[in-house]
Every structure is written in structure tokens, then in C-alpha cells.
């Protein structure tokens, strides 16, 4: 079924692209031959609530997929360390003295103790239990009472490595030594993001919080624009939600694109004047400061707003945005990379989402939000923002580094724990997904099923 056939009403996203003030790259339009995921639009509630299902993911999913672990700038110097945890596993990601990025299982080969429990700069990796010590390249440096370990050598006492690869300034890991290369796994993502060059950005914000729901419940709350009408009604005047575009781009990649600077079809045709759209959008973009003289007698809301951003980004980043499209300066261009990584495209500060299970709990997860900003042409890379962990009592909007976005996520938070509660007591054997607007969720579960078939290729 084509995406156009499923549009609610009003202009399609492709029609917004057709009206763009700049030449639009072809990849933003729906693919000529969209990926067909197969499977059903019905999803069993137990996929989110069953500990047995969670265990299948632990055994068959997480050890076999590429996962975004950190940003490269977090490992700028030899000895810088990031710890990445997923379910039962913990990994040390570091840069060794030869400049290479390396990943190690965060477990001492002697008695299994975690080697590092906090992220810091290290000259060596030392176990706090008995003092076994390794170089940052994983080579054994010191073995106390070596006489009691006959045959022990630096070669056979190396720390066990995990496969690493980079893309877009991100560091990915994969526990499967036979995994296909990251560039293949990412399908069309490198091609699409080549224009946006996330490697030329820096991590300006990183906020995280534990949520009382399954990791898939949290992730799927951000995989469609369908929920805007009930969850984010305050933005209906400035977002084309029900006529958003959904594309399935390969086994591991899909996307949702929704136009800002246009009103929701739910409000009816021509229900919102272009000048009001501009005024409301400027209020959102400027954190409540409202409109100014630039909104007077404006008839083309999207072109006007895009030009405002074009000039603002030019000043902020000392970069040329003259050929950036209106869509790339305004819209929600949201990609998902299976299983748990979501980078936004375009040239606005790029939002990055990541969701992970909270240890081995089926009904708890960790959600992280990063903001990437462009590096100025004048040079220099600011230090990456540390993770700001929110307590249970703190709201996302309390994080000053997430202006506007934090309040929107707080609205999503009203749903996620309640979805988990409802799923546990769901009387229906199957949840019924919308055919088009929730096609990305169906696509995700189709790929998940491939991994949960023991022996299926990654």
C-alpha cells in the first residue's frame, strides 16, 4: 500500500516538499520501492509484560545487534572511558594509547568483579578486588602473585574485546564477532545523513531518566505522530500530524517525517491563518518569547519560518545554510535504527533518543535524550555535556538544557507507565495497530521476530 493512499486528509508531506523554497534531495520523498516488513498489525501484550519474552530478547537480540554506546568526542584522549550497560552486560569503551577505540567486557577474568564502576580518565584498568591491572589496549600489565597462576601470560590474560565501529560521530558495539559490518547494518542511513554530517556536531545536552515501563513501550511512544491530537494538543496549530509520512527503509531503519509550520488536518482546512502559524511557531522556537515584526502580513508560513531559522543558524554556527531546505530547518525528520537508537535528521539541533532495559526488569527502562549542535566553522570543539540523570521526582522540563522539548516529553510520560499498567491487565489477546500511522511499530516487531528466531542471521 502506498503512503499516499493512507493519508488522513490535507496535503501529503511530499506536497510540502514540492512547495519548498529550495531544491529537495530525492531521499526525503517516499521510496519508489518501500521495504515490506510482512507480519501482522496485531501485537500480543505479552511482548511488553512477559519476563519469558524479555529473556528471549536477552539471549537472542542484545548479543547480536549493533548498539549506539556513546559519542566519539567523549573519548577524545587516550584513557577516557565510557561505561555502557545493557541488560546483564557492562562494557568499558575507551581510547588506548595508540589512539584506537576499544571496547572490553567490564568483568575481571579472575573472579568476575566489575573492573570499572564509574566513568573517568584512567591510565590503566585495575580490578579493585585483587589488583589485577591491564593497559588501556587490554594487555595484562600486572598480575599479583603471578607464581600462583602457572602459564599466565599477557597474551592469554588480555581483556576480552567487543567489536566496535563508528558512524556519524557515534561509537557502536556488537557482541557478535560474526556480525556484519555496521555500514551494512545501517542500510540507507549513512547515505541519507551524509548531507547532515552528525560527525561535525557536538553533544550539547544529555538528559536521562528511569521510566516504569518496558523499553519498547517507551520507544514506541516516539514512533508515530498519531498521538499528537490527544497527548500534545497545544501544537496542533503548528504541526501536520495526521498527514505525516512514514517510510520503511530496510530491515533496521525506518522514519517518520512531520511538517512544522503547518496546521493539523484535525483542525480542518484553512482553520488556522498563516500569520497565526508563524506567531505560534516563533513562540515555540523562542521558548515563549512570542512573535515580532517578522510575522506581519506573512502569507507563506513555512518559507518564512525556515528563513528565520536559516539566518539564526548562520549566526549561531558561522555556517552556510543557504541551500538547506525549509524541511531540513523546520521539520521532525525522525529515524529509528533497530533496536533502540533514534537520530533526528535535518539541520536544526539534532535530537537523539536511546532506550534501554533497566537491568533485567521487563517493566522498567532507561530513556536518554541528547541534543547535537553544529560545530562552528571558526573551529574548536566544546567539551561534551555529561549525563544529567533525573530523579523519579524530577520532570524532563526541569532540565534547562531541554528547552521546549522537556515539556513535550513530560506529556509523553503521562502515557508510558499507564500503558504498561494497562498492558498487564489487557483483556484482549492482541493489540491492533493502525495500518499506516503505526507501520513503523509493526516494522520494528517484524525485525524483532527475525532476531528471536534462534539461528536467524543478524
Amino acid at each position: 500500500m502506498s503512503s499516499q493512499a493512507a493519508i488522513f486528509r490535507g496535503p501529503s508531506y511530499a506536497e510540502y516538499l514540492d512547495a519548498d523554497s529550495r531544491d529537495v534531495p530525492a531521499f526525503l520523498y517516499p521510496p519508489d520501492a518501500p521495504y515490506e516488513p510482512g507480519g501482522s498489525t496485531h501485537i500480543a501484550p505479552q511482548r511488553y509484560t512477559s519476563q519469558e519474552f524479555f529473556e528471549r530478547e536477552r539471549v537472542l537480540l542484545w548479543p547480536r545487534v549493533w548498539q549506539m554506546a556513546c559519542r566519539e568526542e567523549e573519548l577524545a584522549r587516550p584513557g577516557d572511558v565510557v561505561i555502557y550497560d545493557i541488560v546483564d552486560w557492562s562494557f568499558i569503551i575507551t581510547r588506548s594509547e595508540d589512539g584506537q577505540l576499544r571496547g572490553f567486557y567490564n568483568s575481571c577474568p579472575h573472579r568476575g568483579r566489575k573492573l570499572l564502576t564509574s566513568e573517568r580518565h584512567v591510565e590503566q584498568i585495575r580490578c579493585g578486588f585483587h589488583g589485577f591491572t591491564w593497559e588501556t589496549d587490554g594487555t595484562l600489565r600486572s598480575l599479583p602473585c603471578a607464581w600462583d597462576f602457572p602459564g599466565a601470560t599477557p597474551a592469554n590474560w588480555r581483556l576480552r574485546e567487543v567489536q566496535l565501529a563508528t558512524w556519524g560521530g557515534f561509537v557502536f558495539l556488537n557482541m557478535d564477532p560474526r556480525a556484519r559490518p555496521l555500514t551494512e547494518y545501517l542500510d540507507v542511513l549513512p547515505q541519507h545523513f551524509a548531507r547532515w554530517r552528525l560527525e561535525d556536531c557536538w553533544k550539547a545536552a544529555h538528559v536521562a531518566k528511569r521510566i516504569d515501563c518496558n523499553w519498547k513501550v517507551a520507544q514506541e511512544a516516539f514512533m508515530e505522530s498519531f498521538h499528537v491530537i490527544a497527548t500534545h494538543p497545544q501544537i496542533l496549530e503548528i504541526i501536520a500530524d495526521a498527514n505525516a509520512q512514514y517510510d520503511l527503509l530496510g530491515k533496521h531503519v525506518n522514519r517518520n517525517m512531520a511538517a512544522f509550520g503547518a496546521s493539523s488536518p484535525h483542525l480542518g482546512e484553512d482553520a488556522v491563518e498563516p500569520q497565526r502559524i508563524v506567531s505560534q511557531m516563533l513562540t515555540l522556537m523562542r521558548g515563549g518569547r512570542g512573535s515580532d515584526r517578522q510575522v506581519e502580513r506573512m502569507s507563506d508560513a513555512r518559507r518564512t519560518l525556515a528563513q528565520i531559522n536559516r539566518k539564526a543558524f548562520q549566526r549561531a554556527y558561522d555556517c552556510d545554510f543557504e541551500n538547506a531546505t525549509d524541511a531540513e530547518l523546520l521539520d521532525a525528520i525522525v529515524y529509528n535504527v533497530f533496536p533502540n537508537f533514534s537520530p533526528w535528521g535535518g539541520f536544526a539541533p539534532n535530537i537523539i533518543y536511546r532506550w534501554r532495559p533497566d537491568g533485567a526488569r521487563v517493566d522498567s527502562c532507561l530513556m536518554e535524550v541528547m541534543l547535537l549542535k553544529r560545530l562552528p566553522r571558526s573551529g574548536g570543539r566544546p567539551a561534551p555535556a555529561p549525563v544529567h540523570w533525573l530523579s523519579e521526582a524530577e520532570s524532563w522540563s526541569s532540565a534547562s538544557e531541554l528547552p521546549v522539548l522537556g515539556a513535550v516529553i513530560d506529556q509523553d510520560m503521562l502515557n508510558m507507565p499507564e500503558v504498561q499498567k494497562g498492558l498487564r491487565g489487557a483483556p484482549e489477546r492482541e493489540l491492533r495497530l493502525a495500518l499506516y500511522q503505526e507501520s513503523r511499530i509493526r516494522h520494528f516487531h517484524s525485525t524483532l521476530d527475525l532476531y528471536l528466531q534462534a539461528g536467524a542471521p543478524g
Side-chain angles (χ1 to χ4, degrees), residues 224-370:
E224 37 83 3
S225 300
F226 185 17
H227 68 286
V228 169
I229 187 173
T231 302
H232 311 300
Q234 79 279 7
I235 63 172
L236 285 172
E237 291 188 336
I238 58 172
I239 186 171
D241 57 340
N243 47 348
Q245 178 176 310
Y246 300 88
D247 297 319
L248 312 181
L249 302 171
K251 186 168 73 172
H252 299 112
V253 179
N254 58 49
R255 71 179 176 192
N256 169 22
M257 297 191 289
F260 274 105
S263 59
S264 168
H266 289 296
L267 299 180
E269 192 173 357
D270 300 324
V272 184
E273 290 293 325
Q275 291 85 353
R276 178 165 175 79
I277 292 174
V278 172
S279 179
Q280 293 292 93
M281 190 74 181
L282 284 175
T283 298
L284 178 71
M285 288 159 47
R286 296 173 176 181
R289 288 191 310 175
S291 61
D292 56 24
R293 60 184 177 83
Q294 297 178 87
V295 304
E296 295 177 6
R297 295 184 296 277
M298 296 296 184
S299 59
D300 187 334
R302 279 176 60 78
R303 290 190 175 207
T304 298
L305 290 163
Q307 187 60 16
I308 291 171
N309 273 356
R310 201 172 274 115
K311 291 180 178 178
F313 295 167
Q314 173 95 23
R315 291 192 299 270
Y317 307 120
D318 187 28
C319 296
D320 183 7
F321 292 95
E322 188 55 36
N323 293 322
T325 65
D326 303 341
E328 293 168 304
L329 296 166
L330 287 176
D331 295 346
I333 304 175
V334 189
Y335 286 72
N336 272 66
V337 178
F338 184 89
N340 64 332
F341 172 55
S342 178
W344 283 44
F347 291 109
N350 297 80
I351 301 169
I352 308 295
Y353 296 129
R354 179 172 65 184
W355 302 268
R356 289 180 284 167
D358 179 16
R361 294 183 55 186
V362 67
D363 58 356
S364 182
C365 73
L366 308 175
M367 176 172 167
E368 297 168 76
V369 181
M370 305 177 193

